[in-house]
Amino acid sequence: MPERSLRRFFVERIDPDATVCRVAGQEAKHIRKVLRMGVGQPLLLVDEVGRRVIGRIASVSPQEVQVLVETLLSPAAAPLVETVLCQAVLKSQRMDWLIQKTTELGVRRIVPFFSERTVVDLYGEKTESKIRRWREIARMATTQCDGDRPPVIEPPLTFAELLARYRDEAALKGILWEKTIGLANLKDILRPNAASPRRFIGMVGPEGGFSEREIEEAAACGFVPLGLGRRILRAETAGMMLVGIVQYEWGDLGEAADRQRQTAGTDATDG
Ligand code: SAM
């Protein structure tokens, strides 16, 4: 059964030795209530590390959908570029919106962080439920846009933890700063490196922006301060544009969809 013809749904983890997989949450609700799929119907499951199985619905209940595994597929083709968005935590709807839009654009990893001027503070159970919510939004957006797999949404870091995490990372790194008058802009650093892109790590500030000290500290860790023109964009607009531009210049946004589907389809026959 060609993988391309199947509806795909996302689960946190697929046990490669399992004969039955469990779909829960909004994905299960989508199968049951929206698509009204029933026992015996085939579908494709994908997990956060790209494992993929073809299976058939074995049972449907209000809590979950059980899927009988038939075929373990090879992981989908690796993306042309791994775009990582480090986003200062924004107020609720803005962060939800940004996660949804950047997922549609093909972001592979979202790393929320707290900076000096972050106005949102998360702690304890609230953080856990936020991360669950963000991951659910990413899963649903991936289902809607027929993406290969949801981006990894990491637990929030402090600014210092974020810099320590990526300081020695061999990737093109940029920090969006609206005060970069006369400094590099995104086009300047993407175009010359188009031949050998693999990983772009972009950082976007909170509603109140970055302090000069944060910009200096990030630059000392290899994050090039980058401009997106003279207008001051909302943080969520800037984050979306960053991912969109990188995905267009280096990723598959600039590619003809049919060519991508053909390449994606060639691995569908893998057993
Ligand atoms: N300091 C800004 C002000 O004076 O209103 C507020 C920051 S802006 C709303 C939020 C974030 O979006 C910034 O931290 C930056 O990362 C990004 N951003 C917004 N406009 C930008 C631009 N023109 N160039 C680069 N980054 C921009």
Side-chain angles (χ1 to χ4, degrees):
M1 187 183 319
E3 168 229 341
R4 273 199 323 274
S5 64
L6 296 174
R7 300 283 309 206
R8 67 182 69 192
F9 300 92
F10 300 97
V11 292
E12 278 196 25
R13 187 178 178 286
I14 294 173
D15 173 350
D17 304 321
T19 52
V20 176
C21 285
R22 183 178 161 274
V23 185
Q26 291 296 327
E27 292 289 81
K29 195 171 162 194
H30 194 65
I31 291 172
R32 186 167 47 85
K33 284 207 146 176
V34 176
L35 302 173
R36 298 187 179 284
M37 292 175 76
V39 172
Q41 281 194 271
L43 47 71
L44 174 72
L45 295 183
V46 183
D47 75 3
E48 282 182 357
V49 293
R51 238 180 250 117
R52 303 182 304 158
V53 296
I54 293 178
R56 280 185 196 279
I57 294 176
S59 69
V60 179
S61 75
Q63 291 70 33
E64 62 179 31
V65 172
Q66 296 263 345
V67 175
L68 213 52
V69 175
E70 290 184 347
T71 316
L72 181 63
L73 295 174
S74 59
L80 298 168
V81 60
E82 181 171 8
T83 305
V84 179
L85 173 66
C86 303
Q87 176 61 53
V89 177
L90 302 175
K91 284 185 187 141
S92 193
Q93 278 86 358
R94 292 183 182 152
M95 196 72 176
D96 294 356
W97 184 88
L98 181 61
I99 288 170
Q100 186 189 62
K101 295 309 163 204
T102 51
T103 297
E104 291 172 48
L105 294 169
V107 75
R108 293 302 278 202
R109 184 178 296 270
I110 298 176
V111 188
F113 67 93
F114 297 106
S115 64
E116 279 174 35
R117 299 179 190 161
T118 306
V119 291
V120 175
D121 67 341
L122 297 175
Y123 43 82
E125 173 47 34
K126 208 176 156 200
T127 309
E128 293 311 312
S129 66
K130 264 294 173 203
I131 296 169
R132 276 197 302 274
R133 175 184 172 77
W134 291 337
R135 287 176 176 160
E136 192 73 49
I137 291 169
R139 263 203 290 278
M140 290 182 65
T142 308
T143 300
Q144 175 274 322
C145 71
D146 197 21
D148 287 338
R149 69 180 200 227
V152 174
I153 312 272
E154 305 233 4
L157 300 174
T158 64
F159 189 67
E161 288 166 338
L162 184 70
L163 294 185
R165 163 90 179 266
Y166 287 115
R167 173 196 314 275
D168 304 326
E169 178 84 27
L172 202 61
K173 298 180 281 197
I175 180 168
L176 285 191
W177 193 34
E178 63 285 359
K179 297 187 176 113
T180 46
I181 311 298
L183 294 183
N185 66 32
L186 204 44
K187 190 162 45 177
D188 294 340
I189 66 161
L190 288 179
R191 295 269 161 99
N193 295 285
S196 57
R198 279 301 157 262
R199 198 158 148 77
F200 180 92
I201 303 169
M203 205 189 298
V204 179
E207 292 89 341
F210 286 115
S211 66
E212 308 250 345
R213 190 175 62 83
E214 287 172 327
I215 296 293
E216 282 158 19
E217 286 177 1
C221 293
F223 283 87
V224 177
L226 294 170
L228 275 183
R230 123 189 122 67
R231 286 180 293 279
I232 305 280
L233 309 176
R234 284 176 180 273
E236 60 274 26
T237 311
M240 183 185 74
M241 282 311 297
L242 179 67
V243 171
I245 292 168
V246 173
Q247 285 294 108
Y248 179 79
E249 289 288 338
W250 282 7
D252 58 9
L253 269 196
E255 285 212 349
D258 52 343
R259 201 162 55 242
Q260 289 164 34
R261 287 192 195 283
Q262 277 149 21
T263 16
T266 49
D267 67 13
T269 48
D270 292 356

